[in-house]
Amino acid sequence: MRSDRSFAVRIRVDPEVCQGHNRCTMIAPDLFKLDDIGMATAADDGVIPSGREEAARLAIANCPEFAISIVDE
């Protein structure tokens, strides 16, 4: 298990694509946060904590705009 956060698996929300449906925040509220106008962004620099990978995949699958992706850094 990698402990160096610079090489973590992360989620990314594309702000140009997100329409504010907020399904991601309902599915995984620890992985996403809302800005002042209700658009989702990745919480905690997008780092997916160990054991929350399935929740991240479920949030991605439920985004009607396909605005969320996983980035392996």
Side-chain angles (χ1 to χ4, degrees):
M1 183 167 120
R2 292 186 251 181
S3 61
D4 183 353
R5 293 173 62 102
S6 65
F7 293 104
V9 176
R10 300 173 190 267
I11 50 174
R12 180 182 177 282
V13 180
D14 185 337
E16 298 295 319
V17 179
C18 179
Q19 295 292 307
H21 295 283
N22 296 314
R23 291 181 185 179
C24 57
T25 59
M26 289 184 269
I27 292 168
D30 58 321
L31 300 180
F32 301 92
K33 59 185 178 183
L34 299 178
D35 66 13
D36 293 338
I37 59 172
M39 299 299 182
T41 59
D44 194 26
D45 293 328
V47 174
I48 302 172
S50 179
R52 297 297 289 152
E53 297 87 355
E54 184 62 31
R57 284 191 287 276
L58 187 58
I60 290 167
N62 280 276
C63 179
E65 306 301 333
F66 305 104
I68 308 167
S69 58
I70 291 181
V71 180
D72 191 13
E73 298 178 339

